[in-house]
Amino acid sequence: MLSVQDVSVHFGGIVALDGVSFDIPSGQIVGLIGPNGAGKTTLFNCISRLYDVNWGDILFNGESILKSPVHRMSEIGLGRTFQNLALFSNLSVLDNIMIGGHSTAKSDYISNALHLPWIKREEKELRKRAFEMLRFMELEDTALQRIGGLSFGIQKRLEIARALLSRPKLLLMDEPAGGLNHNELSLLVDTIRRIRDEFGTTVLLVEHHMGVVMEVSEKVVALNFGRKLAEGPPAEIQQHPDVIEAYLGTG
Ligand code: ATP
């Protein structure tokens, strides 16, 4: 489904990624690990087209995505969550989720009154899907509440619900476990599995919480200083001497 091929990214003199390659087969949950500054978020930003690559290619379903603009990502089937919550605190939960379904093309129609019935149908459909996602995340009771009054753990789940609204084929999750308590962590593991099992969504997970990564991933890719250190099943990666030295040993 996703093929990262020899990707390098430089920021001035800093080499953030240095010839990184790996594949993510359709329907897998893949963990991306590495110490601070290893290049994980940079790679996420390249896949979601927020950053350009200096070298290499990224194929999604066999086609390069490097020429596609960032606003086309949800159309081609890519969704992502952010390390820092990107929700609007003074809007309701429902509005925040529905924002994930508006495209630029649709907002052009809003200026034309002739299209109002069409817009109303679209809004109704979007609202229905937003409720479905809230139900999936067991958060439908919060639909009319303001984001600002909700706990951090619930806001993290809403961030996932919003990313799922467009039914992505590949979901990029940037540190979904950060700041969660014990119960919320087991709910997260369960949710990631359900996203794959019920929607057939492939998941790439950047995560510092080793327990979560090792429990939920079928394959783990380890980075350090912008290079791929190792790739394989979680049990193998946990035993890999270079990974232990670079990351697990210091964690
Ligand atoms: P963390 O686990 O702390 O989030 P990470 O593995 O996600 O780290 P990146 O954030 O990708 O690592 O950073 C990789 C390297 O690239 C670091 O040296 C970082 O300082 C640098 N870097 C990342 N983004 C930028 C940027 N926009 N401008 C300059 N340097 C950057």
Side-chain angles (χ1 to χ4, degrees), residues 70-196:
V70 65
H71 65 269
R72 290 255 174 269
M73 289 299 105
S74 76
E75 267 168 55
I76 68 171
L78 265 163
R80 78 168 279 179
T81 66
F82 289 85
Q83 193 173 339
N84 299 314
L85 291 171
L87 298 166
F88 297 96
S89 60
N90 56 347
L91 293 183
S92 73
V93 164
L94 192 61
D95 285 340
N96 267 279
I97 305 296
M98 286 173 68
I99 281 169
H102 285 287
S103 73
T104 333
K106 281 173 200 154
S107 45
D108 289 345
Y109 269 72
I110 291 171
S111 57
N112 188 338
L114 286 174
H115 292 110
L116 268 177
W118 180 84
I119 291 167
K120 282 189 178 157
R121 268 202 308 279
E122 283 281 299
E123 285 290 310
K124 213 171 144 190
E125 178 57 25
L126 206 53
R127 180 178 283 259
K128 197 175 131 207
R129 275 175 31 219
F131 266 110
E132 272 169 26
M133 284 312 138
L134 286 174
R135 218 168 292 130
F136 176 80
M137 298 299 290
E138 296 164 12
L139 289 173
E140 62 204 290
D141 293 349
T142 65
L144 301 179
Q145 293 183 38
R146 277 183 180 221
I147 291 282
L150 297 169
S151 72
F152 179 75
I154 290 184
Q155 292 192 35
K156 292 279 270 191
R157 289 180 67 69
L158 290 171
E159 172 93 356
I160 298 173
R162 183 171 63 182
L164 288 173
L165 188 73
S166 59
R167 288 286 176 101
K169 296 187 187 92
L170 173 66
L171 179 64
L172 308 170
M173 303 181 86
D174 198 352
E175 297 197 26
L180 299 186
N181 65 33
H182 182 74
N183 290 341
E184 290 164 343
L185 287 174
S186 36
L187 195 56
L188 174 69
V189 166
D190 180 54
T191 301
I192 295 172
R193 290 200 179 115
R194 285 175 55 227
I195 289 170
R196 193 272 307 277

Side-chain angles (χ1 to χ4, degrees), residues 11-12 14-17 34-43 45 51 83 174-175 206 208 223:
F11 297 107
I14 298 169
V15 182
L17 291 172
N36 291 331
K40 306 177 297 291
T41 302
T42 301
L43 186 55
N45 286 337
Y51 289 171
Q83 193 173 339
D174 198 352
E175 297 197 26
V206 161
H208 278 294
L223 299 180

